[in-house]
Amino acid sequence: MRSFRRVLIANRGEIAVRVIRTLRELDITSIAVFSEPDRTALHVLMADEAHAIGPGPSSESYLHQDRVIETAVRVKADAIHPGYGFFAENARFAGACAAAGIVFIGPGPETSRALGDKLAARDLARAAGVPMVPGSDGPVGSLDDARAAARAIGYPLMLKAAAGGGGKGMRLVSSESDLEAAWSLTRGEAESAFGDARVYIERAIARPRHVEAQILADASGRVAFLGERECSIQRRHQKLFEETPSPAFDEPLRARFAEAACRIAKRAGYLGAGTVEFILDPSGEFYFLEVNTRLQVEHPVTEMATGLDLVAEQIRIAEGAPLSFGDARVPARGCAMEARIVAEDPRAGFMPSVGRIERVRFPQGPGVRNDAGVYRGYEIPVYYDSLLAKLVVWAGDRDGARRRMLRALDEYVLEGVHHNVAFHRWLVSHPEFAAGRLSTRFVDEHFRPAALDPGRETSEIALFAAALHEREERLRITLPPANGAESRSTWRWPERRRSGPRTRR
Amino acid sequence: MRSFRRVLIANRGEIAVRVIRTLRELDITSIAVFSEPDRTALHVLMADEAHAIGPGPSSESYLHQDRVIETAVRVKADAIHPGYGFFAENARFAGACAAAGIVFIGPGPETSRALGDKLAARDLARAAGVPMVPGSDGPVGSLDDARAAARAIGYPLMLKAAAGGGGKGMRLVSSESDLEAAWSLTRGEAESAFGDARVYIERAIARPRHVEAQILADASGRVAFLGERECSIQRRHQKLFEETPSPAFDEPLRARFAEAACRIAKRAGYLGAGTVEFILDPSGEFYFLEVNTRLQVEHPVTEMATGLDLVAEQIRIAEGAPLSFGDARVPARGCAMEARIVAEDPRAGFMPSVGRIERVRFPQGPGVRNDAGVYRGYEIPVYYDSLLAKLVVWAGDRDGARRRMLRALDEYVLEGVHHNVAFHRWLVSHPEFAAGRLSTRFVDEHFRPAALDPGRETSEIALFAAALHEREERLRITLPPANGAESRSTWRWPERRRSGPRTRR
Amino acid sequence: MKLWVMLEGRDAEVEFHTEGERLVVEIEGRRLDADFRRLPDGEVYSLLVNGRSHEVRVSPGGAALDVTVRGATIPVEVRHPLEKVLQATRSLAGAGFDEVVAAPMPGMIVAIKVKAGDLVARGQAVAVIEAMKMQNELVARHGGIVSELLVREREAVRSGQALMRLKPVTA
Amino acid sequence: MKLWVMLEGRDAEVEFHTEGERLVVEIEGRRLDADFRRLPDGEVYSLLVNGRSHEVRVSPGGAALDVTVRGATIPVEVRHPLEKVLQATRSLAGAGFDEVVAAPMPGMIVAIKVKAGDLVARGQAVAVIEAMKMQNELVARHGGIVSELLVREREAVRSGQALMRLKPVTA
């Protein structure tokens, strides 16, 4: 068993900040790395040390394996925490860490290699006797094979890249007439995004829920189940909102679910924190999807419910220590929800937005945790993903958590970029959401951009505010300037008059 | 049983904001009141409605009973939440609310009258069979009576005003030679501060701990104990730092303590949230001090440990509903601590500081709650108390909470006024604190202002920063101006050279 | 003082009176108490209307003022009431302006889906921009004939940069 | 560039070199890598010293710069190294020594605002120096009677060159 003194975080944004916090609590020196546009990013300000690793594009910095490893060696890091994304599930990187004598905080390269390939993971789940969505036994080699497999499995179906992940490389096919086009698009995407054109077929489940099991496994073979998370609220196959417990679970289902997840982890010889993803059909059957061999974005909901610090557990495990709670069952309390606050415009197809954060005032008060990666004045770089913050709430029951989330969203002040706070307000106010009737089709089925149109009261307030602002400007220019010194008018009317009325996007 | 639709908050600052949050979660319209300098205070921004009630001095606004009640009637409030301070323990105000047909969220005027008088409260505790610090049975009428009582009780002793509170109207007397002077000072203070010159005597306990019981009592006679809080860290008899559970408690002590607190509450026919304060001597004996018939500043540590929302419970009780958890025991989890972030200078005798908040970045992440009453740009008014925010943390055990508190304090960015974040850093890093060896004498015994002097590394960083800043300024002026248009120098050297080196306050 | 205020789908005349310390706003026959105070925290105001508390950001945004209320940004134009008459006259003259498709954010143009001379329908995708690792289609708001392409594929663009110009098709 | 920096209980000479993109700080024989970047959030900088990350606020505060690090505000004075010598001389002489007004940078004296024998108040402007098209007033730190002018108008001066001498006025 070692004890880390210096840990390098090979990541940026809110997750790098998250890891720095736990390192500080554990008295471990936190070492940030940063790309050129990230010189004044929050993780650089908050870390004990920070080192430049290259220009903006990820491939030149956060995804430049040699630079990251060389930096870690030079600054004498004992271990590297990869966060999520970037190198988190990269077996080659984990191997390179080992070769450089640095501990990779995550499962070994063999585990991530085995579980990172979706087909290999399916083989493992099959061997463990865990139910899977019916599908092709392996990759489908040609369009003809795909047609044959599709007929056996039935439409609608999903085409999935074996190396896919993060919502990329998957496509729904409703009928045979769409198969040919989908086949070539998915293969092309898989080839270009992952360098691996292998594609397989799964039956599409109608109105499925996305549910996942948080597990922790230590070196002595303990595998603990820390509760499920429901992550059905998605757009473009990417999660927007998560909660624990799942409103669809009861105790018997939870017990079967925990058992299945732990069986897979044990079979894989898993080590560290991981997530076993499943889909749940409306009849209550669940099917294995994949294993994410890393900390998830949504891990805080599990932390709120269990009181554990998952990053601290990851570090303990990587140091060779047993789970902090040993063989005890970890009781979960109440209900936790997470809203991903993203720089995107839900009124315009969730298109990403960039810009400068002009003003922030984050929600506080009982049961609220807001993990932000940005601060006032911060300019969002174009190179990285658009997650600005994670708003997490906890309350004694689901309706309490929902009301608290709505209250915290009402408090959220974040100006300068488009963001999805109003979308989340819509979501948690929706009667179907309140009733817990979720599916991954929720957004498609229920959301229309017009739902976010400002109501009559809001419009009227905007009208008054504009008029009052204009009134102040006019009163200002009609008053004689102080000392008679300043003669330039601050009145901007003529400029604003130059073009026609701008319509709202 | 009624149901409130509109509640007026007769308070300001962080506690008004705290109450607004719960009202919003309960779908009750929150109505703020504000004095002139508070027009842009946070509670005004966050409430659903806000109404002016007068000029800055409390007596003209927040403590102007007629204006507050008239406003509540005019805006059709169903109830008034008093927060803490101001009218929170004022029986006359509670009576005026009742007369105006408005529910006062707190115990009735009789209860607060009975318990607000310290001598009456002592009588009640005596009748309930709860141990008290040995002292005079009632007020001491004359200096001669005081001498006689003092001889019977023994020195050192405390002289206390019967109507006192908030650390005011109490004085330690070490020996008979000091009694005469202390007698007239305390009586004078009691007369001028509370309009009630009655003074009584208690034996002074050496190195006592301040411990208190949070209770909730509903209209059906239920009295629940929600755990103790230890509030021994004080300066000028005012709390600075609180935690739950008390490191001095074990289960048998907690059971006896809970029983004593509930006995007093029942005897008083208590209704609502209240705190029964005790002192605990080094041998483990506790003695009744007083009952605070209101929400305490430090209530969030109890919320973190129990998961309850105490303001929501107060409102339920005031509506006539039973406690949300009925007759169930409320289990507490882990350890919570609160640091009061105050605008004062611990290096200069904790002298209050005013000014403008130039920049803030509050701590976030797992287990951290920061309830602030201020925001960037806010100018602290001179009229009110100097509490800026409450930093509350939770972790699975005391050492985890202590480390998390230190981490959160490290993250705290608050510029523009003197504050006590560095003091709290000193406190939680102190070995005696870490060992849980606390007493109300802790600050006097262990704290010296020099403990906050910047260390060598900090000084050197300041030195570099100043030099680098100066270098940038010089490089800026030695560069040719753009377009040659601007000829005014930005160089400020001569100005700064004008006077000698300024010494640090 | 009287102002003419327009926002999407609505326009109104707003008149202000001061009565002692009070500021009264008249709109569509209603009289409301208003208090408008700048916060020390930016282009932001606290607005109380008959006691209702609102935090609003007012910033110049192109042709209009951008007002942000509860996370929604609403462009509002404020003019002199006289202009209402002028505008009415202009509207009668009909449209006939070029449409310019502009980049909504900084990024790289990964595809241009039309060429000069193409007829583009309202809402048709004309280009794809990549930013923040996501590709997004840009559509023609009104449509028309592509009269000019102003960027090429693989070109980096600034936010607001014009990408192409469309000429309206006269009916 | 070399600067003399004083803070309570300590003073040091700090020298800067740029080596390519790197900025090296020399202090008391040690050489440290420094990177100093203004944040978009006020008078605040991110300072990396040999990789150690610090967030510092630097604001003018009377006679010194107020530097805030980890919640502690520390006044720091930054001067030209030559002043150290002068100060030392002055200290030796005790009260009643001459004040020398020196050029803080290389440049040209464009104006001398006093003549020998003039009584100069503390803080009064005595000369104007121009460097790279910018003019800066030089002021008397303590004041006194001008005993000697050491340069003329339109004369080029080196950094640290003495410009005039002031005799203290005895009380």
Side-chain angles (χ1 to χ4, degrees):
Chain A
M1 218 177 93
R2 338 144 248 234
S3 188
F4 300 149
R5 289 182 48 252
R6 298 169 60 75
V7 171
L8 182 141
I9 304 109
N11 216 305
R12 63 178 301 284
E14 70 83 20
I15 192 61
V17 171
R18 165 71 191 83
V19 174
I20 289 167
R21 290 189 165 118
T22 290
L23 292 174
R24 182 149 300 164
E25 290 179 22
L26 297 176
D27 252 334
I28 297 171
T29 300
S30 55
I31 307 167
V33 292
F34 61 88
S35 67
E36 279 162 20
D38 269 351
R39 170 63 184 84
T40 56
L42 192 55
H43 72 291
V44 174
L45 304 184
M46 290 191 50
D48 293 323
E49 298 182 12
H51 300 276
I53 46 159
S58 299
S59 59
E60 310 264 318
S61 49
Y62 299 107
L63 273 175
H64 194 294
Q65 178 170 308
D66 292 348
R67 286 199 191 132
V68 173
I69 302 264
E70 275 164 28
T71 303
V73 170
R74 180 166 55 80
V75 304
K76 300 189 170 55
D78 302 312
I80 293 181
H81 195 297
Y84 52 69
F86 295 133
F87 288 127
E89 296 179 280
N90 184 311
R92 203 168 76 82
F93 182 81
C97 285
I102 292 170
V103 177
F104 175 80
I105 300 176
E110 309 73 30
T111 314
S112 41
R113 197 169 292 122
L115 295 171
D117 184 288
K118 295 198 175 188
L119 286 166
R122 275 174 72 89
D123 289 344
L124 193 137
R126 191 178 297 115
V130 169
M132 283 179 302
V133 180
S136 58
D137 280 347
V140 183
S142 68
L143 178 58
D144 283 344
D145 289 354
R147 277 212 191 87
R151 257 174 234 134
I153 294 160
Y155 290 90
L157 54 78
M158 297 294 292
L159 275 180
K160 291 191 172 182
K168 277 166 201 137
M170 53 196 288
R171 187 164 264 106
L172 180 72
V173 185
S174 306
S175 66
E176 186 157 341
S177 59
D178 298 338
L179 184 63
E180 185 170 347
W183 169 257
S184 59
L185 278 169
T186 307
R187 275 181 67 92
E189 239 174 66
E191 175 69 48
S192 74
F194 312 110
D196 177 350
R198 286 176 308 145
V199 163
Y200 67 103
I201 293 179
E202 274 180 11
R203 184 197 293 161
I205 306 285
R207 317 191 84 234
R209 289 170 182 258
H210 178 112
V211 290
E212 59 187 31
Q214 175 68 53
I215 54 155
L216 280 181
D218 69 15
S220 55
R222 281 189 194 87
V223 177
F225 168 75
L226 299 181
E228 78 281 1
R229 292 184 290 255
E230 169 146 10
C231 318
S232 298
I233 305 299
Q234 309 184 347
R235 54 104 184 77
R236 297 196 210 106
H237 302 297
Q238 288 174 328
K239 299 166 188 169
L240 276 180
F241 193 99
E242 302 92 353
E243 62 184 288
T244 188
S246 163
F249 272 45
D250 56 18
E251 275 309 318
L253 173 56
R254 183 168 297 116
R256 282 194 293 130
F257 184 77
E259 206 269 329
C262 291
R263 200 141 20 102
I264 288 177
K266 279 185 180 142
R267 181 128 204 140
Y270 201 82
L271 189 72
T275 296
V276 189
E277 296 194 331
F278 294 85
I279 60 177
L280 181 72
D281 75 14
S283 74
E285 291 305 310
F286 58 82
Y287 306 96
F288 172 75
L289 267 187
E290 61 178 319
V291 180
N292 292 320
T293 60
R294 53 163 160 93
L295 200 67
Q296 300 277 87
V297 175
E298 61 271 23
H299 75 277
V301 295
T302 301
E303 294 185 324
M304 296 289 263
T306 61
L308 290 176
D309 177 337
L310 292 182
V311 175
E313 296 293 334
Q314 285 188 299
I315 289 168
R316 284 181 63 91
I317 294 166
E319 289 179 332
L323 301 178
S324 70
F325 46 90
D327 294 310
R329 211 189 124 257
V330 177
R333 182 165 83 167
C335 174
M337 295 178 171
E338 172 182 282
R340 300 192 187 188
I341 310 300
V342 178
E344 65 181 20
D345 187 354
R347 298 165 58 99
F350 298 96
M351 191 188 293
S353 169
V354 291
R356 198 175 115 99
I357 307 291
E358 298 290 347
R359 192 169 76 111
V360 295
R361 198 176 64 229
F362 295 126
Q364 303 183 327
V368 172
R369 166 177 171 187
N370 182 66
D371 279 18
V374 300
Y375 59 97
R376 183 199 176 103
Y378 180 73
E379 183 93 31
I380 302 169
V382 295
Y383 304 104
Y384 316 113
D385 84 18
S386 46
L387 183 66
L388 302 175
K390 302 185 312 201
L391 173 59
V392 191
V393 302
W394 178 93
D397 58 30
R398 187 171 190 267
D399 196 55
R402 194 184 66 78
R403 287 164 172 272
R404 186 159 282 171
M405 177 60 87
L406 188 57
R407 182 273 285 178
L409 291 164
D410 277 342
E411 266 181 49
Y412 223 106
V413 174
L414 178 60
E415 292 167 3
V417 293
H418 287 282
H419 57 71
N420 61 349
V421 167
F423 168 84
H424 286 300
R425 262 200 316 247
W426 166 84
L427 174 67
V428 298
S429 307
H430 197 285
E432 288 292 300
F433 178 89
R437 285 192 288 269
L438 312 180
S439 88
T440 58
R441 309 253 320 122
F442 191 97
V443 175
D444 286 341
E445 285 178 6
H446 299 297
F447 179 67
R448 297 293 167 270
L452 305 186
D453 285 350
R456 198 185 150 80
E457 194 198 359
T458 302
S459 294
E460 185 155 303
I461 291 306
L463 188 157
F464 286 149
L468 285 156
H469 175 88
E470 190 67 39
R471 174 177 175 268
E472 294 215 334
E473 296 279 294
R474 295 195 183 190
L475 290 177
R476 195 141 61 92
I477 56 157
T478 53
L479 291 171
N483 307 329
E486 180 65 66
S487 66
R488 237 173 66 204
S489 164
T490 52
W491 199 42
R492 290 182 306 256
W493 175 293
E495 217 169 318
R496 258 186 273 122
R497 254 183 10 186
R498 236 172 260 158
S499 51
R502 201 176 70 135
T503 42
R504 187 169 60 241
R505 263 168 302 166
Chain B
M1 217 177 97
R2 332 143 252 233
S3 187
F4 300 149
R5 289 180 51 252
R6 300 170 59 77
V7 171
L8 183 141
I9 304 109
N11 216 305
R12 64 178 302 282
E14 71 83 20
I15 193 61
V17 171
R18 164 73 191 83
V19 174
I20 289 167
R21 290 189 164 116
T22 290
L23 293 174
R24 183 148 300 162
E25 291 180 21
L26 297 176
D27 252 335
I28 297 171
T29 299
S30 55
I31 305 166
V33 291
F34 60 90
S35 67
E36 278 161 22
D38 269 350
R39 170 63 184 84
T40 57
L42 192 54
H43 72 291
V44 175
L45 304 184
M46 290 190 51
D48 293 322
E49 298 181 14
H51 300 276
I53 46 160
S58 298
S59 58
E60 310 264 317
S61 48
Y62 299 107
L63 272 175
H64 194 294
Q65 178 170 311
D66 291 348
R67 286 199 191 134
V68 173
I69 302 264
E70 273 164 29
T71 303
V73 170
R74 182 168 52 83
V75 304
K76 299 188 171 54
D78 302 312
I80 291 181
H81 194 297
Y84 51 70
F86 296 132
F87 288 127
E89 295 179 281
N90 185 310
R92 202 168 75 83
F93 182 81
C97 285
I102 291 170
V103 177
F104 175 80
I105 300 176
E110 310 72 30
T111 314
S112 42
R113 197 169 293 123
L115 294 171
D117 184 288
K118 294 198 175 191
L119 285 167
R122 273 174 73 90
D123 289 344
L124 194 138
R126 190 177 298 115
V130 169
M132 283 179 302
V133 180
S136 58
D137 280 347
V140 182
S142 68
L143 179 57
D144 283 343
D145 289 354
R147 276 212 190 88
R151 253 173 238 135
I153 293 161
Y155 290 91
L157 53 80
M158 298 294 293
L159 275 180
K160 291 190 172 182
K168 279 168 197 134
M170 53 197 286
R171 185 165 266 105
L172 181 72
V173 186
S174 306
S175 66
E176 185 157 340
S177 60
D178 299 337
L179 183 64
E180 186 170 349
W183 168 258
S184 59
L185 280 171
T186 308
R187 275 182 68 93
E189 235 174 71
E191 175 70 49
S192 75
F194 312 109
D196 177 351
R198 286 175 309 144
V199 163
Y200 67 103
I201 294 178
E202 272 181 10
R203 185 197 292 161
I205 306 285
R207 316 190 84 236
R209 289 171 182 257
H210 178 113
V211 290
E212 60 187 29
Q214 174 68 54
I215 55 155
L216 280 181
D218 68 16
S220 56
R222 281 189 192 89
V223 178
F225 168 74
L226 298 181
E228 79 281 2
R229 291 183 292 255
E230 169 146 10
C231 318
S232 298
I233 306 299
Q234 308 184 348
R235 53 106 185 74
R236 294 194 217 106
H237 301 297
Q238 288 173 329
K239 300 166 188 169
L240 276 180
F241 193 99
E242 301 92 353
E243 61 185 287
T244 187
S246 163
F249 271 46
D250 57 16
E251 275 309 317
L253 173 56
R254 183 167 297 115
R256 282 194 294 130
F257 185 76
E259 206 268 329
C262 291
R263 203 146 12 109
I264 288 176
K266 278 185 181 143
R267 182 129 205 139
Y270 201 81
L271 188 72
T275 295
V276 189
E277 295 194 330
F278 294 86
I279 60 177
L280 181 72
D281 75 13
S283 74
E285 291 305 310
F286 58 83
Y287 305 96
F288 172 75
L289 268 186
E290 62 179 317
V291 180
N292 292 321
T293 60
R294 53 161 159 94
L295 199 67
Q296 299 279 86
V297 175
E298 60 272 22
H299 75 277
V301 296
T302 301
E303 294 185 325
M304 296 289 263
T306 61
L308 290 177
D309 177 336
L310 292 182
V311 175
E313 296 294 335
Q314 285 188 300
I315 289 169
R316 284 180 64 91
I317 294 166
E319 287 179 334
L323 302 179
S324 70
F325 46 90
D327 294 310
R329 210 189 124 258
V330 177
R333 182 165 86 167
C335 173
M337 295 178 171
E338 172 182 283
R340 301 192 187 190
I341 310 300
V342 178
E344 63 181 22
D345 187 355
R347 296 166 58 101
F350 297 95
M351 192 190 293
S353 170
V354 290
R356 198 175 113 99
I357 307 291
E358 298 289 347
R359 192 169 75 110
V360 295
R361 199 176 62 230
F362 294 127
Q364 304 183 327
V368 172
R369 166 177 171 186
N370 182 67
D371 279 19
V374 300
Y375 60 97
R376 183 199 176 102
Y378 181 73
E379 185 94 29
I380 301 169
V382 295
Y383 304 104
Y384 316 112
D385 86 18
S386 46
L387 182 66
L388 302 175
K390 302 186 312 202
L391 173 59
V392 190
V393 302
W394 178 92
D397 58 30
R398 187 171 189 269
D399 196 55
R402 194 184 65 78
R403 288 163 172 272
R404 186 159 281 170
M405 178 60 87
L406 189 56
R407 182 274 286 178
L409 291 164
D410 277 341
E411 265 180 50
Y412 223 104
V413 174
L414 178 60
E415 292 167 2
V417 293
H418 288 282
H419 57 70
N420 61 348
V421 167
F423 168 85
H424 286 301
R425 264 201 315 249
W426 166 83
L427 173 67
V428 298
S429 307
H430 197 285
E432 288 294 300
F433 179 89
R437 285 193 287 270
L438 312 180
S439 88
T440 58
R441 308 253 318 122
F442 192 98
V443 175
D444 286 341
E445 285 178 5
H446 299 296
F447 179 67
R448 298 293 168 270
L452 304 188
D453 284 350
R456 196 185 154 79
E457 194 198 357
T458 303
S459 294
E460 186 156 302
I461 291 305
L463 188 157
F464 287 148
L468 284 156
H469 174 88
E470 188 68 38
R471 174 178 175 268
E472 294 215 334
E473 297 277 296
R474 295 196 182 189
L475 291 176
R476 194 143 62 95
I477 59 156
T478 54
L479 292 172
N483 309 328
E486 179 66 67
S487 69
R488 239 175 65 205
S489 164
T490 54
W491 199 44
R492 290 187 305 256
W493 176 294
E495 216 170 318
R496 256 185 277 123
R497 254 185 9 188
R498 238 171 254 162
S499 54
R502 202 176 68 135
T503 42
R504 190 168 57 241
R505 264 166 303 165
Chain C
M1 189 186 291
K2 213 174 193 174
L3 294 168
W4 178 39
V5 187
M6 286 174 289
L7 70 173
E8 199 166 76
R10 185 166 179 198
D11 74 307
E13 279 191 26
V14 177
E15 192 163 355
F16 300 101
H17 314 276
T18 44
E19 302 183 354
E21 297 248 306
R22 288 170 62 208
L23 176 64
V24 176
V25 183
E26 251 190 84
I27 177 172
E28 295 164 357
R30 287 172 299 148
R31 289 168 58 85
L32 303 159
D33 267 1
D35 188 44
F36 193 59
R37 197 72 68 92
R38 183 153 194 156
L39 301 187
D41 190 27
E43 297 170 312
V44 190
Y45 298 86
S46 168
L47 169 58
L48 301 180
V49 181
N50 275 4
R52 295 287 299 175
S53 177
H54 308 273
E55 200 170 337
V56 291
R57 181 182 183 83
V58 184
S59 43
L65 292 170
D66 275 348
V67 182
T68 305
V69 192
R70 297 190 83 222
T73 298
I74 304 170
V76 187
E77 277 197 279
V78 186
R79 305 212 185 162
H80 193 278
L82 192 72
E83 290 195 74
K84 187 171 185 173
V85 185
L86 298 172
Q87 172 111 345
T89 322
R90 271 204 300 273
S91 307
L92 287 172
F97 295 101
D98 283 3
E99 175 178 358
V100 172
V101 179
M105 61 189 126
M108 188 175 58
I109 299 301
V110 294
I112 293 179
K113 303 189 144 192
V114 293
K115 56 184 194 303
D118 280 5
L119 178 61
V120 172
R122 179 195 187 93
Q124 182 181 332
V126 293
V128 179
I129 186 168
E130 184 174 302
M132 326 264 312
K133 296 199 284 186
M134 309 270 276
Q135 298 193 352
N136 297 280
E137 284 188 344
L138 304 178
V139 300
R141 192 174 161 75
H142 302 289
I145 289 165
V146 179
S147 60
E148 197 178 357
L149 288 174
L150 302 165
V151 291
R152 279 167 311 176
E153 290 188 358
R154 318 305 300 168
E155 192 172 326
V157 293
R158 299 182 316 281
S159 178
Q161 183 175 338
L163 309 180
M164 66 186 65
R165 192 179 295 278
L166 311 179
K167 258 199 188 332
V169 183
T170 42
Chain D
M1 191 188 288
K2 214 172 191 175
L3 294 169
W4 179 38
V5 187
M6 287 174 289
L7 70 174
E8 199 165 77
R10 184 164 179 201
D11 75 306
E13 279 191 28
V14 177
E15 192 164 356
F16 300 102
H17 314 276
T18 45
E19 301 183 355
E21 298 248 304
R22 289 169 61 209
L23 176 64
V24 176
V25 182
E26 253 189 82
I27 177 171
E28 295 164 359
R30 287 171 300 147
R31 288 167 59 86
L32 302 159
D33 267 1
D35 188 45
F36 193 60
R37 197 74 67 92
R38 184 150 193 159
L39 300 187
D41 191 26
E43 296 170 313
V44 190
Y45 298 86
S46 168
L47 168 58
L48 301 179
V49 180
N50 275 5
R52 296 286 301 175
S53 177
H54 307 274
E55 200 169 338
V56 291
R57 181 181 182 84
V58 183
S59 43
L65 293 170
D66 276 347
V67 182
T68 305
V69 192
R70 297 189 84 221
T73 298
I74 304 169
V76 186
E77 275 198 280
V78 187
R79 304 215 188 157
H80 193 278
L82 191 72
E83 290 197 73
K84 184 173 186 172
V85 183
L86 297 173
Q87 174 120 336
T89 319
R90 277 201 297 271
S91 306
L92 285 172
F97 46 79
D98 286 3
E99 174 177 359
V100 173
V101 180
M105 57 185 139
M108 188 175 59
I109 300 302
V110 293
I112 292 179
K113 302 187 145 193
V114 294
K115 55 185 195 300
D118 279 4
L119 178 60
V120 172
R122 178 195 188 95
Q124 183 180 330
V126 293
V128 178
I129 186 169
E130 182 175 303
M132 307 300 285
K133 294 200 231 170
M134 309 266 275
Q135 297 194 351
N136 298 281
E137 281 190 345
L138 304 179
V139 301
R141 190 176 162 72
H142 301 288
I145 289 165
V146 179
S147 60
E148 198 177 356
L149 288 174
L150 303 164
V151 291
R152 280 168 308 178
E153 290 191 352
R154 318 306 299 168
E155 189 173 329
V157 293
R158 298 181 318 282
S159 177
Q161 185 175 337
L163 308 181
M164 65 184 66
R165 192 180 295 277
L166 310 180
K167 259 198 186 333
V169 182
T170 44

